[in-house]
């Protein structure tokens, strides 16, 4: 029984992937455009009747209804695959393992997590900027001290030697 369900799931997955891939091609758009143009051109022959209008409405509704589910299936699988790859990268790297599985958090919990991450990033940038400013100030102080010593030696008439 389980094998049968797995086989059906694989068949549906292959079907959904191929349909979603085909629907995203320029030729699919061109085909839909040709169908719409043919329908529009046929209007005068059918005197723009209710049946003529119903044909396009029904056809586009059915296609849209089915495509929503096929594309959603493909998006769900793609999202799960990307999430698994990200989880593996997090697990295998020096990143924080606590982020594995956060896709199951509520919107509010995710918003709080993003806010904390953004706050840490801002703090880190500020710390880096302060450190760079301190290093620049130290370098300027060392350079000013070197120039002052050289000027003092010149004023005293002493030879200056490179440090």
């Amino acid at each position: 029984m389980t094998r049968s369900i797995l086989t059906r799931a694989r068949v549906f997955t292959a079907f959904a992937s191929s349909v979603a891939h085909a629907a995203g091609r320029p030729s699919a758009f061109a085909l839909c455009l040709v169908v719409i143009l043919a329908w529009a051109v046929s209007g005068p022959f059918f005197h723009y009747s209710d049946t003529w209008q119903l044909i396009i409405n029904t056809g586009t509704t059915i296609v849209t209804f089915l495509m929503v589910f096929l594309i959603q299936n493909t998006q769900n699988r793609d999202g799960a695959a990307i999430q698994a790859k990200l989880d593996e990268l997090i697990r295998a790297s020096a990143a924080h393992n606590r982020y594995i599985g956060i896709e199951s958090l509520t919107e509010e919990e995710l918003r709080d997590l993003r806010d904390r991450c953004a706050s840490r990033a801002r703090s880190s940038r500020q710390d880096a900027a302060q450190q760079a400013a301190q290093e620049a100030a130290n370098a300027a102080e060392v350079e000013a001290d070197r120039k002052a010593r050289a000027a003092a030696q010149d004023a005293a008439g002493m030879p200056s030697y490179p440090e």
Side-chain angles (χ1 to χ4, degrees), residues 107-119:
E107 286 294 320
E108 184 177 318
E109 291 169 329
L110 284 171
R111 190 176 327 106
D112 291 344
L113 182 62
R114 280 193 307 266
D115 291 346
R116 285 195 307 270
C117 287
S119 175

Side-chain angles (χ1 to χ4, degrees), residues 32-157:
C32 289
L33 190 60
V34 167
V35 168
I36 297 296
L37 289 175
W39 171 80
V41 168
S42 70
F45 298 110
F46 295 101
H47 307 288
Y48 301 102
S49 68
D50 289 344
T51 303
W52 174 80
Q53 293 177 27
L54 186 62
I55 288 171
I56 198 68
N57 289 338
T58 303
T60 55
T61 301
I62 290 170
V63 169
T64 301
F65 182 76
L66 295 174
M67 289 302 293
V68 163
F69 294 104
L70 291 177
I71 292 171
Q72 186 63 50
N73 175 270
T74 302
Q75 290 293 319
N76 289 347
R77 282 184 294 103
D78 288 349
I82 289 170
Q83 192 61 52
K85 290 174 184 179
L86 288 172
D87 287 349
E88 181 59 18
L89 286 172
I90 291 169
R91 190 197 60 74
S93 71
H96 298 286
N97 285 340
R98 68 176 175 255
Y99 289 109
I100 293 177
I102 64 170
E103 65 276 3
S104 62
L105 297 177
T106 66
E107 286 294 320
E108 184 177 318
E109 291 169 329
L110 284 171
R111 190 176 327 106
D112 291 344
L113 182 62
R114 280 193 307 266
D115 291 346
R116 285 195 307 270
C117 287
S119 175
R120 283 196 307 265
R122 280 190 302 275
S123 176
S124 177
R125 283 193 301 264
Q126 288 172 347
D127 290 347
Q130 288 173 348
Q131 184 178 359
Q134 184 62 41
E135 289 173 2
N138 290 344
E141 188 177 323
V142 167
E143 181 63 18
D145 186 49
R146 185 191 65 74
K147 287 180 179 179
R149 286 182 190 200
Q153 287 176 350
D154 284 347

Side-chain angles (χ1 to χ4, degrees), residues 3-17 77:
R3 187 176 179 98
S4 172
I5 292 171
L6 185 59
T7 301
R8 279 188 252 154
R10 285 197 176 136
V11 168
F12 179 75
T13 296
F15 174 73
S17 293
R77 282 184 294 103

